[in-house]
Amino acid sequence: MGQQPQAKAPQPTIDDVILDMRLSSKRFAREANRCDKEKDALMVKAKQALQKNNEEGAKLFLTSAMNKQKESENLMRMSHKMDHLQGIIKSTANQTQIMNSLNKITPMLTQQVNQMPLDDVYKNMNQFEAAMDEITVQSKVMDGMMNKNVDAGQDIALDQMMGQLKQEIHNQVSNDLNVNPQVAFNQLSQPQQQQQQQAMNNQYK
């Protein structure tokens, strides 16, 4: 017996494509939120490291936090692109339906076009295309400038984040001194007492 031909998988419809893109957009948005949470956790670790005078460790945590922030921004950008693309696909499908409807009234449209001055039609279309080309060029220039500025400003942003953490720690220490000076005094004198006790122990050895 001959082998029966396998049935072909059904081609996805426009609605299926739009649904998949909508789900992908939501998935990218969830991943972006996860990166934001990881960035916040890294910021906390950087602050803790700075409180322990581990500035190098704090810088590493801040660098990781900035990478998570970039990842989150890229994921959100992809989410927005998916939303934009599904809008374009849906709009294209609607235009196709419109064109099918227009085909039914082609004789009437042809008669109307023949009555329009061709010079005005070409002039308006050329103006429209020139405006669209100008918008596209400006958009590409802006994208290039923004990407360049992001890399150039990374070191500045890192220094600003480090300075902000130092200021928060300074304010926290100041608040502790104002609330309970005796506790702060005990905390400051405790290392000195430990050194004196260690010296006495060394003398009796």
Side-chain angles (χ1 to χ4, degrees):
M1 296 178 63
Q3 186 178 1
Q4 295 182 354
Q6 297 180 353
K8 294 183 179 180
Q11 294 293 330
T13 63
I14 295 297
D15 293 335
D16 293 335
V17 174
I18 292 175
L19 178 60
D20 288 341
M21 299 186 72
R22 185 180 295 115
L23 294 176
S24 297
S25 174
K26 292 182 179 180
R27 184 174 67 253
F28 285 130
R30 287 195 301 268
E31 289 296 320
N33 291 333
R34 179 184 59 80
C35 290
D36 288 336
K37 292 180 180 179
E38 292 180 0
K39 182 202 73 174
D40 294 338
L42 289 169
M43 291 294 294
V44 172
K45 291 181 180 180
K47 184 175 181 180
Q48 293 173 349
L50 200 57
Q51 289 173 337
K52 298 177 181 178
N53 295 327
N54 184 8
E55 186 167 334
E56 185 64 25
K59 189 174 182 179
L60 292 174
F61 283 125
L62 288 176
T63 302
S64 298
M66 293 183 66
N67 291 334
K68 285 297 179 182
Q69 182 175 354
K70 283 186 176 181
E71 184 179 356
S72 174
E73 292 173 354
N74 290 333
L75 288 169
M76 285 304 300
R77 190 178 295 112
M78 286 300 300
S79 176
H80 295 158
K81 285 184 178 180
M82 286 295 178
D83 289 335
H84 177 66
L85 287 175
Q86 69 172 328
I88 292 178
I89 293 174
K90 188 174 182 179
S91 176
T92 302
N94 291 335
Q95 290 176 1
T96 302
Q97 293 178 356
I98 293 174
M99 290 304 300
N100 291 333
S101 299
L102 290 177
N103 288 334
K104 298 178 181 180
I105 56 172
T106 299
M108 184 181 300
L109 291 176
T110 303
Q111 182 180 0
Q112 294 295 325
V113 169
N114 291 332
Q115 294 177 357
M116 294 176 60
L118 293 179
D119 292 340
D120 292 342
V121 174
Y122 289 137
K123 181 179 179 180
N124 292 334
M125 289 300 298
N126 289 333
Q127 291 177 349
F128 174 78
E129 291 178 357
M132 290 298 297
D133 291 341
E134 182 68 21
I135 292 175
T136 302
V137 171
Q138 291 181 1
S139 176
K140 291 182 178 179
V141 172
M142 290 297 297
D143 289 342
M145 294 175 61
M146 290 177 65
N147 292 333
K148 182 178 179 180
N149 292 334
V150 166
D151 295 335
Q154 180 174 356
D155 294 337
I156 297 176
L158 183 61
D159 293 339
Q160 291 177 347
M161 293 168 69
M162 180 69 73
Q164 183 177 359
L165 282 179
K166 290 182 178 180
Q167 185 63 37
E168 290 180 2
I169 294 173
H170 177 73
N171 294 337
Q172 184 176 355
V173 173
S174 299
N175 292 334
D176 292 339
L177 289 174
N178 293 331
V179 172
N180 196 339
Q182 185 60 35
V183 173
F185 175 77
N186 292 337
Q187 292 177 349
L188 292 174
S189 61
Q190 185 176 2
Q192 183 176 3
Q193 293 175 0
Q194 292 177 352
Q195 293 176 359
Q196 294 176 354
Q197 184 65 35
Q198 184 66 30
M200 293 175 63
N201 292 337
N202 293 333
Q203 291 178 358
Y204 289 109
K205 287 183 179 180

